[in-house]
Amino acid sequence: MGKILDYEEMVHHLDQLDPKVIRKMPPIGYTTHGYPLSHYIYGNGDAHVILTAGTHATELIGNCFLIHFMEQLSNGMIDLDPSKVTLHFLPILNPEGTIIVTSAIRTLIPRNTSEVTEQFLATTYYGNCKIDDTGDTSLCLDMFSRATWDVIDEKHAKLKAHLQWLDDRYHYPKGVMIAWSSNGNGVDLNSNVTPTKYLKDTLEGKKVYGEGHRRLLCLTEPGPYGCPTNGETFQLEEENRALLHFYDACIRSHHVVGSIIYHACGGQVIYLDDIGVSPWKDQLEPREIDYNQMLAKVYADETKYQVKSNTSYTTIDARIKTMLSGTLLVELTPMRGTPLGQFVNSELGLYDETIEKNTRAVTETVKKMYSHAPSRCKKDV
């Protein structure tokens, strides 16, 4: 069996967790097309930590890693005292996008594909990404040219019909499903944040495309990634409305000592430093900034990732960082080429090594969170 999980397999793995160890809670909300935003809890300690993955649908390794970590906890393979910590898991923040991307993947890599073949195709995709990034080729999309909206299972009929409608209106290139980072409305969930001056200036009369492999970036039309809102009037997508409400409610009800947000590319641990003028909050207190930096260094010591501070307010992730000190954004692997590049195993064991060292890192960081958190770890939301 390969390493890549499709949406249904992710749900199956989650359903197999020991309910005595990891409890399935009611969803924190539902997407526009009716998919649950799943929520699971481990432990019953006073210190609460939130772990999330999958904002961008192409960054599948985040979902797979967090589900793997939950399985390790469920099987008693990870040393985290359940009497000291309560972990909140939100492992699939973008189920609609995940269905789209993994439906595309299964046209080339069916579930019964051997791991050797999966690795060959993932490596080929990664190499094609490197070529696409240097010129005007579309080798990655070409690999998935057979992945049209018709390959999405009819059990997702409502989502499928809406994607076909978007395609008829915006005329996406063949193979675009493999690059679909947005949700089913074609909105980039991380960019779907209360408009700041930056976003207003960027969107003013512009239609922006990236270079090479990122040429599908579009800020003014719903599509694969980049677009912050669906329509002329800004509104939060249902996924983000639910996520922000969950953070707000959790912070108000519990002693939340931190959170970790998983993305895929770059091998970085990013924390909020001196944030200056924020559209939502005042500056963090100096001890909270020190706490953020300390946690980032703990995580980086285990992974050898680069530690970076962040002062941007143009993403949902950045907004969450202003809501809760002790929040880290982890770019899970230095490998690029989403969604398949991160699953490549070289002779150095890159994929397996990524999973192993990030498992250690999150374990040690959570321990630091509940043992070293300052007395005030939240803002008035």
Side-chain angles (χ1 to χ4, degrees):
M1 178 180 174
K3 303 178 185 303
I4 300 167
L5 302 178
D6 58 44
Y7 176 73
E8 283 75 16
E9 287 175 313
M10 291 179 191
V11 173
H12 176 74
H13 277 252
L14 291 168
D15 287 343
Q16 298 304 304
L17 298 172
D18 185 345
K20 295 179 181 179
V21 180
I22 296 184
R23 307 184 299 281
K24 184 175 183 179
M25 309 300 289
I28 67 167
Y30 292 85
T31 70
T32 300
H33 300 288
Y35 296 94
L37 301 170
S38 301
H39 174 209
Y40 299 81
I41 285 181
Y42 167 84
N44 55 11
D46 291 336
H48 289 245
V49 178
I50 303 169
L51 299 106
T52 71
T55 300
H56 288 142
T58 56
E59 300 181 18
L60 289 178
I61 191 172
N63 309 69
C64 294
F65 167 70
L66 205 54
I67 291 169
H68 169 82
F69 185 82
M70 295 168 71
E71 288 178 326
Q72 293 287 87
L73 274 175
S74 178
N75 295 333
M77 303 297 290
I78 293 175
D79 177 26
L80 277 176
D81 189 340
S83 69
K84 293 183 178 179
V85 67
T86 299
L87 299 182
H88 298 264
F89 292 99
L90 307 176
I92 313 176
L93 290 178
N94 184 1
E96 294 175 359
T98 304
I99 291 167
I100 296 166
V101 169
T102 58
S103 295
I105 290 173
R106 289 299 179 231
T107 65
L108 188 65
I109 309 176
R111 288 184 184 176
N112 61 354
T113 300
S114 70
E115 188 167 338
V116 172
T117 301
E118 181 187 88
Q119 282 294 296
F120 171 77
L121 292 169
T123 303
T124 301
Y125 185 90
Y126 175 73
N128 285 342
C129 285
K130 300 287 283 186
I131 296 171
D132 285 350
D133 280 343
T134 64
D136 296 325
T137 59
S138 58
L139 299 178
C140 290
L141 297 187
D142 292 344
M143 286 182 70
F144 291 91
S145 60
R146 293 186 295 110
T148 65
W149 312 120
D150 289 337
V151 306
I152 297 177
D153 195 283
E154 282 302 320
K155 63 187 171 185
H156 306 299
K158 185 177 178 182
L159 172 63
K160 180 177 180 178
H162 186 69
L163 292 168
Q164 290 175 314
W165 179 84
L166 286 173
D167 190 34
D168 289 342
R169 181 171 182 178
Y170 296 110
H171 308 292
Y172 304 125
K174 287 185 178 180
V176 75
M177 283 175 57
I178 198 62
W180 198 273
S181 192
S182 300
N183 68 358
N185 292 327
V187 176
D188 183 328
L189 292 176
N190 206 26
S191 298
N192 175 237
V193 65
T194 304
T196 64
K197 184 176 185 300
Y198 168 83
L199 278 181
K200 289 179 180 178
D201 290 348
T202 303
L203 293 171
E204 190 68 32
K206 294 182 180 180
K207 180 177 179 180
V208 182
Y209 291 93
E211 297 295 329
H213 182 56
R214 297 184 62 82
R215 67 194 172 285
L216 294 171
L217 174 67
C218 184
L219 297 175
T220 57
E221 293 178 355
Y225 56 96
C227 184
T229 188
N230 184 13
E232 295 182 3
T233 303
F234 177 85
Q235 62 180 9
L236 281 174
E237 292 295 295
E238 292 301 323
E239 295 92 337
N240 284 341
R241 195 184 307 277
L243 181 65
L244 293 173
H245 179 266
F246 173 77
Y247 265 86
D248 183 1
C250 204
I251 290 169
R252 291 182 183 279
S253 302
H254 307 294
H255 180 48
V256 187
V257 297
S259 67
I260 303 176
I261 303 166
Y262 281 102
H263 284 263
C265 297
Q268 298 174 340
V269 184
I270 304 170
Y271 71 97
L272 196 63
D273 201 340
D274 184 3
I275 65 177
V277 178
S278 164
W280 302 294
K281 298 289 167 283
D282 296 328
Q283 291 186 350
L284 293 177
E285 295 180 356
R287 60 178 176 166
E288 293 177 303
I289 292 173
D290 291 343
Y291 177 62
N292 290 347
Q293 187 174 41
M294 181 270 290
L295 293 177
K297 289 180 177 179
V298 170
Y299 203 105
D301 283 346
E302 294 291 340
T303 58
K304 308 308 178 187
Y305 290 168
Q306 180 184 11
V307 174
K308 293 184 65 177
S309 62
N310 170 255
T311 58
S312 169
Y313 299 97
T314 57
T315 67
I316 281 290
D317 292 340
R319 182 171 181 179
I320 289 172
K321 289 177 190 172
T322 66
M323 295 169 66
L324 175 66
S325 65
T327 297
L328 303 179
L329 189 160
V330 176
E331 298 284 3
L332 196 56
T333 166
M335 291 289 283
R336 305 192 72 83
T338 58
L340 301 182
Q342 289 82 34
F343 291 93
V344 170
N345 243 346
S346 68
E347 292 180 359
L348 298 177
L350 186 62
Y351 172 84
D352 291 335
E353 178 185 325
T354 294
I355 299 301
E356 181 180 344
K357 67 185 180 183
N358 277 277
T359 297
R360 293 195 308 268
V362 66
T363 303
E364 294 307 312
T365 304
V366 167
K367 289 179 179 178
K368 286 291 184 183
M369 285 177 175
Y370 65 68
S371 63
H372 289 74
S375 58
R376 186 176 77 94
C377 270
K378 61 186 178 181
K379 295 286 185 182
D380 293 330
V381 181

